[in-house]
Amino acid sequence: MNIQKIGVIGAGQMGNGIAHVCALAGYDVLVNDISQEALDRATSQIDRNLARQVGRGLVTEADADAAKDRIKTTLTLADLGRTDLVIEAATERETVKDAIFRELVPHLKPETILTSNTSSISITRLASRTDRPERFMGFHFMNPVPVMQLVELIRGIATDEETYKACLGVVEKLGKTASSAEDFPAFIVNRVLVPMINEAVYVLYEGVGNVKSIDEAMKLGANHPMGPLELADFIGLDTCLAIMNVLHDGLADTKYRPCPLLTKYVEAGWLGRKTSRGFYDYRGEEPVPTR
């Protein structure tokens, strides 16, 4: 299948990154969101990120300008019906994703491939509620999208080989590496990563160490580039909690029980960098541990 035009649903951190790399690879991109403000922020963020790449000599000025010209935005979800591939990158809530697909499906071309950037939700279940489960799969980018090389490709039980190969071709054209994962809760990366973060929160909760000592221990003792609590703030504590709940519900194993302290931070609205407070307080010049 010849994919030329890509639709991206959601103009947040993941959505604008996906639009950025797709446009830079030569695809025409149409980005949808329910808020014009979100679309404007996404466009500005893409411009800044492209300028940063030009400044580092990673992208030419001409290629950056061409990529910007390939990106269009719309508040009307139905406009994505004329694209060849749709990548849904809305919030990590299954009810929201289901509602989006229900509204979009009647407007799609028969051959359009539907994908979700979900980091943990069942691809088989999402696909079953559409009219094209064989042309549906998981297309999970890592954050930040322009920097991270990996894309997880997740086949649902009905995903056909043609759809998989078409998505694999897109990943290769983006200059990224695909990792094929089976459709089990949280797939590969988050199945390993987020329980580690949750365990770090338990270590904090039980008073074994404070925020600074836990992060320093893992950076210097395990050679991690970022401590687990710092990483949790970067991902978003609400997203971490959502993934732990998917693991706990989907695998019915107590080792995936979300730490009560993680739940408490989310209840407080301290979600990490995006709210300026999480395990660190980002409101000053330097991040300060909150515990």
Side-chain angles (χ1 to χ4, degrees):
M1 180 179 177
N2 185 23
I3 294 174
Q4 295 180 320
K5 190 161 192 174
I6 295 177
V8 178
I9 302 171
Q13 191 172 28
M14 295 304 295
N16 76 60
I18 293 167
H20 172 150
V21 298
C22 289
L24 203 53
Y27 293 106
D28 291 324
V29 181
L30 184 59
V31 184
N32 163 260
D33 202 284
I34 57 174
S35 158
Q36 185 61 49
E37 184 183 359
L39 291 172
D40 292 342
R41 275 199 312 268
T43 302
S44 297
Q45 186 65 54
I46 291 168
D47 288 351
R48 285 193 298 272
N49 289 341
L50 283 168
R52 191 176 296 118
Q53 288 180 313
V54 171
R56 292 176 180 170
L58 302 173
V59 174
T60 67
E61 191 83 50
D63 285 346
D65 289 341
K68 284 188 271 191
D69 288 342
R70 292 187 193 104
I71 298 172
K72 302 292 184 290
T73 63
T74 180
L75 291 168
T76 306
L77 185 61
D79 289 346
L80 273 63
R82 60 181 183 268
T83 62
D84 305 310
L85 167 68
V86 174
I87 303 172
E88 172 272 316
T91 188
E92 190 69 355
R93 290 209 302 273
E94 191 166 344
T95 52
V96 172
K97 295 179 188 298
D98 281 341
I100 287 169
F101 291 134
R102 266 198 313 273
E103 183 179 343
L104 177 62
V105 159
H107 305 284
L108 293 175
K109 300 183 296 183
E111 66 272 20
T112 297
I113 293 173
L114 264 182
T115 69
S116 176
N117 183 57
T118 179
S119 55
S120 60
I121 298 169
S122 168
I123 298 303
T124 298
R125 195 164 62 238
L126 288 173
S128 71
R129 296 163 185 155
T130 74
D131 67 341
R132 60 195 68 208
E134 72 288 346
R135 303 185 72 73
F136 191 111
M137 69 181 301
F139 209 130
H140 180 216
F141 289 84
M142 305 296 120
N143 185 33
V145 180
V147 175
M148 301 296 280
Q149 281 299 108
L150 185 73
V151 178
E152 281 185 312
L153 290 180
I154 306 101
R155 282 188 259 207
I157 197 169
T159 306
D160 63 26
E161 188 65 16
E162 183 185 9
T163 297
Y164 172 76
K165 286 181 177 176
C167 290
L168 180 61
V170 172
V171 174
E172 290 170 349
K173 189 172 177 181
L174 296 180
K176 297 188 181 293
T177 301
S179 174
S180 296
E182 293 301 315
D183 186 23
F184 288 95
F187 320 130
I188 296 172
V189 173
N190 284 323
R191 172 77 178 265
V192 176
L193 177 66
V194 179
M196 182 200 75
I197 289 172
N198 191 57
E199 191 63 26
V201 183
Y202 266 114
V203 171
L204 179 65
Y205 176 62
E206 293 167 5
V208 179
N210 58 32
V211 168
K212 185 178 178 182
S213 65
I214 292 166
D215 278 349
E216 282 190 347
M218 293 307 292
K219 284 191 285 188
L220 301 178
N223 205 29
H224 289 192
M226 191 182 291
L229 302 176
E230 183 185 3
L231 179 58
D233 277 356
F234 183 76
I235 293 169
L237 304 193
D238 53 339
T239 300
C240 292
L241 179 60
I243 293 168
M244 286 307 302
N245 281 325
V246 166
L247 282 165
H248 192 235
D249 295 344
L251 298 172
D253 193 323
T254 55
K255 72 179 180 181
Y256 297 117
R257 183 171 69 97
C259 179
L261 184 60
L262 178 61
T263 302
K264 194 61 65 181
Y265 268 74
V266 173
E267 287 174 346
W270 291 18
L271 308 181
R273 285 182 175 271
K274 61 187 173 185
T275 59
S276 297
R277 275 193 292 187
F279 292 114
Y280 292 86
D281 189 326
Y282 300 93
R283 293 174 297 174
E285 290 185 12
E286 294 289 332
V288 178
T290 54
R291 290 181 82 86

